[in-house]
Amino acid sequence: MIYLFQILNGVGLGMLYFLLAVGLSVIFGLLQFVNFAHGAFYLLGAYLTYDLVSRGFDFWLAMPIATLIVAGLAALVEVLLLRRIYNLPHSFHILVTVGLALVVQEVTIILWGPLGGSVPAPDGLQGVVILGNFVYPEYRLFTIAFTAVLAGLLWWLLEGTRLGAIVRAGSESHSNMALLGYDTLRINTAVFGFGAGLAGLAGALAAPIRGVEPFMGAEALAIAFVVVVIGGMGSYTGALVAGILVGVIQSLMTTLWPEGARLMIYVAMALVIALRPRGLLGRA
Amino acid sequence: MSRRVLAADDGLRIGVPVPISGAYAANGKYATMGAQMAAEVVSKASGKQVSTLDLDTEGKPAVAVRKVQDAMAQNGVKLFAGGILSSESLAMGKEVDRGQGVFMTTAGADEITGVDCNRATFRWSVPTYGAINQTVRPLINLLPNAKKWYTITPQYVFGEGLLKAAKDIFAEKGIQHVGNSYHSLTDKEFSGYLTNAMAAQPDVLLLLNFGSQSSDTLRQAISFGMKKRMAILVAWASGLEQFEALGADVCEGIYFGAQYWHTADTPFNRDIVPKVREKYGSSPNYSFVGSYICSKLLLDGAVKAGSTDGPAVAKALEGLSYEGPTGREEIRAADHQVIKDYYLLKGKAKSAMKDKDDFAEILSSGKSFLSPEQAGCKMPA
């Protein structure tokens, strides 16, 4: 019974991890750009939600506003900074995005202080669902359902719409897309803003579960990388499968071998790299 | 490294090795403020120029040791007040001892003034043994029907110390220890551990972790509705800074162990609380006061000894009795442990708070210490 419950908990965690990682994966897929500032956008999403809720905004309003602000800021960063370095070696990408992450973290401390804070679960979702001997927070159930719906929408957006076709085509060949007359600069900006916005949304959703503190971005980035590496860079389905896999492994291990719960995530990643270097669903 | 100089020439200088970045940066930030205030007070009282040297340990023992080595070799610093984590404090104490300096810390592992005690190292805070005895024992008395306890423990020297002390009391009092979950120092997601705890159906959930990890565990435990199903005790809370981050809604009804609380009626608090409120707009917290008192004791010791040389300052401090943050405090000569009160607090409802810092009431306080022999301290000659 406890294992079933840990699996449920792991799926809940995994859906958050998926949301965190899918933006990173989509950005890499189109731009061939590893965004080390992804955790910083997650951090910003969480802090903006915290700030808005502290000012009296309803969570349901704060969450989309925070997400949109993060997406807007990310698009601005792409225009002002990142598009200048796409053609440079990866070391420049790392340098600039790690620097950006540090700046965001320090600005967060300047604006909101080093202490962190709590975000209450929204009204109506503050209770728990009782399942026999176990209880599960209503808000966590909401995040599972919400992220599942979002995952469906994202899949439809990427696989079933013209916009998705453009993004997928772009990830195959940027230059051909430009030859066909598409404004690749604008598409890059939109995709980067969209991917970072998903990280911001993950931060907003996580705030009532984890609270906020200035160093939460680094941990989120580490998890996002693990998920993307296991799932396969640029693979939407890979991010979903790997997100849930990582969440379930982490949760199950807290019962089977608590000391090694975190370690096993990285063991899983190492195994996948050894057996399938491009990830479970990565493209050859 | 940043250096704050109070006057033009180099008089007394104290190194403040604390985490200024990383997960424990909030504690480090207040610690540097506390040390700075101590420097100002000692400077005014002694007429000497006093400066502080902030050393960012990042909460990592290796970094802490390197920073302390550099401060000794390059800046000639002999006095050190800091170390938030036990692992870094143990490492720094040994290094300062080698460099003929003196080090005072607030970290909790029993070993610091126990089996690893040395001539250079002093500790202001109550170690894990006292923290557990002053929280678990009174709570058992307060909740006589709560017979089943579950523990969540960070797997390093500090957590192990707390767990061992708790297990000893459980055995003595006939408490059933229905389970323990270990976690690493990097964990942020505790829902899996809490699921294990719920499955064991305890009457009390005892959190033995510290800082942001105990805050994360507490937040997530409350979201799982555990506050309504069992009592929750955080054995080693950071006090005010942690309560501010958690908010009154989370703290309400939770039991907390604390090294310091600003509403305790002591001469020290009557003096310092208004001063800190005037200067910083909020009441002093544990990190601030812990660093303040460690710095002040070392600086006073150096003034009294007329030297910053470690053995001379240590001699001036051994056996000292003074008005400290928790009342009358004494530095035990045999193991360099400060004998002082530890508090059991209970979080107040938001509606019961008299001011923005009035998060908790004091349920009990007292002194519990192993003797130097029991703690295993064999002070090197």
Side-chain angles (χ1 to χ4, degrees):
Chain A
M1 182 66 185
I2 190 168
Y3 294 110
L4 273 178
F5 199 71
Q6 290 289 24
I7 289 171
L8 169 69
N9 187 48
V11 171
L13 275 180
M15 292 306 278
L16 263 185
Y17 293 164
F18 155 70
L19 198 55
L20 194 56
V22 71
L24 189 67
S25 197
V26 167
I27 290 170
F28 179 81
L30 182 74
L31 307 174
Q32 295 295 300
F33 178 85
V34 182
N35 177 25
F36 279 82
H38 207 64
F41 293 120
Y42 168 85
L43 169 78
L44 268 181
Y47 260 95
L48 287 167
T49 306
Y50 164 69
D51 189 84
L52 290 166
V53 170
S54 304
R55 288 172 195 272
F57 277 72
D58 192 82
F59 177 81
W60 302 118
L61 200 57
M63 180 175 67
I65 292 176
T67 306
L68 287 173
I69 293 176
V70 172
L73 279 174
L76 197 64
V77 165
E78 198 278 339
V79 171
L80 296 177
L81 192 65
L82 303 183
R83 68 170 51 168
R84 297 165 203 277
I85 60 167
Y86 287 142
N87 295 326
L88 296 174
H90 282 309
S91 53
F92 286 83
H93 302 174
I94 295 169
L95 198 66
V96 169
T97 51
V98 168
L100 184 62
L102 290 173
V103 167
V104 169
Q105 183 177 289
E106 291 308 310
V107 168
T108 302
I109 293 172
I110 290 166
L111 290 178
W112 288 288
L115 281 180
S118 297
V119 179
D123 291 342
L125 289 178
Q126 290 183 342
V128 292
V129 175
I130 297 171
L131 308 157
N133 283 336
F134 295 104
V135 292
Y136 201 71
E138 286 173 5
Y139 180 74
R140 286 204 186 219
L141 281 178
F142 156 76
T143 59
I144 296 175
F146 180 81
T147 319
V149 170
L150 204 68
L153 278 173
L154 277 173
W155 180 85
W156 171 76
L157 194 70
L158 289 169
E159 298 292 331
T161 67
R162 189 177 144 75
L163 192 69
I166 293 169
V167 171
R168 280 183 288 122
S171 67
E172 294 295 329
S173 171
H174 232 81
S175 50
N176 280 353
M177 206 168 65
L179 285 174
L180 288 170
Y182 287 104
D183 184 346
T184 53
L185 284 180
R186 276 177 62 185
I187 291 168
N188 289 352
T189 307
V191 167
F192 190 83
F194 179 71
L198 286 176
L201 177 59
L205 279 172
I209 297 174
R210 300 270 183 97
V212 296
E213 49 94 12
F215 304 97
M216 63 195 291
E219 191 238 356
L221 181 68
I223 287 283
F225 272 139
V226 169
V227 171
V228 170
V229 168
I230 290 179
M233 282 284 204
S235 166
Y236 163 83
T237 325
L240 182 60
V241 171
I244 293 174
L245 188 69
V246 168
V248 170
I249 288 174
Q250 188 179 3
S251 194
L252 272 177
M253 288 310 295
T254 55
T255 293
L256 290 169
W257 184 37
E259 297 90 327
R262 199 172 171 79
L263 175 70
M264 286 309 291
I265 297 174
Y266 296 102
V267 170
M269 183 175 79
L271 278 176
V272 169
I273 291 172
L275 299 172
R276 288 182 66 90
R278 289 183 180 274
L280 293 176
L281 296 160
R283 284 166 295 185
Chain B
M1 282 189 217
S2 70
R3 184 171 162 216
R4 300 189 186 110
V5 181
L6 293 177
D9 71 1
D10 284 337
L12 286 176
R13 189 182 300 168
I14 184 162
V16 188
V18 288
I20 300 170
S21 59
Y24 298 92
N27 304 88
K29 178 200 159 191
Y30 287 108
T32 59
M33 288 158 60
Q36 177 64 11
M37 189 178 230
E40 287 165 11
V41 168
V42 174
S43 179
K44 205 172 169 184
S46 68
K48 287 183 177 294
Q49 291 80 43
V50 185
S51 60
T52 63
L53 186 66
D54 298 342
L55 308 164
D56 183 6
T57 64
E58 302 170 27
K60 298 170 185 166
V63 176
V65 164
R66 185 164 49 76
K67 294 282 175 78
V68 162
Q69 283 171 340
D70 288 350
M72 286 194 286
Q74 293 170 17
N75 304 90
V77 176
K78 289 287 186 79
L79 309 175
F80 293 92
I84 302 279
L85 296 176
S86 296
S87 47
E88 56 177 9
S89 289
L90 278 164
M92 282 193 287
K94 286 172 188 163
E95 199 55 41
V96 175
D97 190 31
R98 264 194 286 276
Q100 293 283 293
V102 61
F103 171 61
M104 192 170 241
T105 184
T106 56
D110 289 358
E111 288 84 345
I112 294 170
T113 53
V115 292
D116 287 325
C117 70
N118 63 50
R119 281 281 163 210
T121 304
F122 290 77
R123 185 228 306 270
W124 176 72
S125 54
V126 170
T128 57
Y129 172 85
I132 288 297
N133 273 269
Q134 286 299 326
T135 52
V136 170
R137 232 175 247 286
L139 197 58
I140 289 172
N141 295 335
L142 210 63
L143 308 171
N145 295 325
K147 295 289 184 194
K148 294 195 291 181
W149 289 52
Y150 192 96
T151 48
I152 293 183
T153 311
Q155 202 167 29
Y156 79 120
V157 62
F158 169 76
E160 297 287 5
L162 289 170
L163 182 62
K164 182 189 176 301
K167 279 179 172 176
D168 289 347
I169 297 178
F170 294 158
E172 179 198 322
K173 293 281 189 181
I175 296 292
Q176 196 186 344
H177 187 206
V178 292
N180 173 60
S181 291
Y182 279 119
H183 64 77
S184 79
L185 268 179
T186 53
D187 268 322
K188 288 201 169 283
E189 176 57 49
F190 295 92
S191 56
Y193 306 112
L194 295 169
T195 302
N196 291 336
M198 279 190 294
Q201 297 185 306
D203 301 314
V204 182
L205 176 68
L206 172 58
L207 303 185
L208 300 175
N209 46 17
F210 170 70
S212 60
Q213 285 200 311
S214 65
S215 294
D216 286 341
T217 319
L218 189 54
R219 270 193 204 101
Q220 291 172 36
I222 289 168
S223 80
F224 271 82
M226 293 172 85
K227 186 153 85 172
K228 292 183 183 135
R229 294 161 79 97
M230 62 195 76
I232 302 177
L233 167 60
V234 181
W236 190 295
S238 308
L240 185 56
E241 64 258 53
Q242 187 170 19
F243 302 159
E244 281 177 330
L246 286 169
D249 291 338
V250 173
C251 294
E252 183 186 353
I254 303 293
Y255 299 94
F256 296 98
Q259 296 282 355
Y260 170 76
W261 190 239
H262 64 278
T263 66
D265 187 22
T266 64
F268 177 95
N269 272 345
R270 286 197 287 277
D271 175 52
I272 204 169
V273 172
K275 283 181 185 162
V276 174
R277 280 182 176 165
E278 191 187 344
K279 188 164 184 180
Y280 297 110
S282 80
S283 306
N285 57 34
Y286 162 57
S287 297
F288 182 98
V289 163
S291 180
Y292 173 90
I293 195 67
C294 289
S295 303
K296 184 161 184 307
L297 286 168
L298 290 177
L299 290 166
D300 283 345
V303 171
K304 190 176 161 190
S307 160
T308 57
D309 196 39
V313 178
K315 201 173 172 204
L317 292 176
E318 286 172 354
L320 185 73
S321 176
Y322 60 93
E323 280 301 337
T326 64
R328 202 74 200 163
E329 299 177 354
E330 186 188 338
I331 302 175
R332 194 159 63 181
D335 60 352
H336 294 180
Q337 171 64 50
V338 171
I339 307 300
K340 64 173 273 291
D341 273 358
Y342 193 81
Y343 299 98
L344 175 63
L345 309 177
K346 187 176 185 188
K348 285 183 178 181
K350 205 170 191 171
S351 55
M353 290 169 66
K354 291 191 193 100
D355 59 56
K356 69 178 181 61
D357 299 332
D358 187 29
F359 283 98
E361 59 176 321
I362 299 174
L363 294 186
S364 64
S365 63
K367 298 176 174 73
S368 295
F369 294 89
L370 291 168
S371 69
E373 296 75 33
Q374 286 169 322
C377 172
K378 289 184 183 129
M379 190 62 79

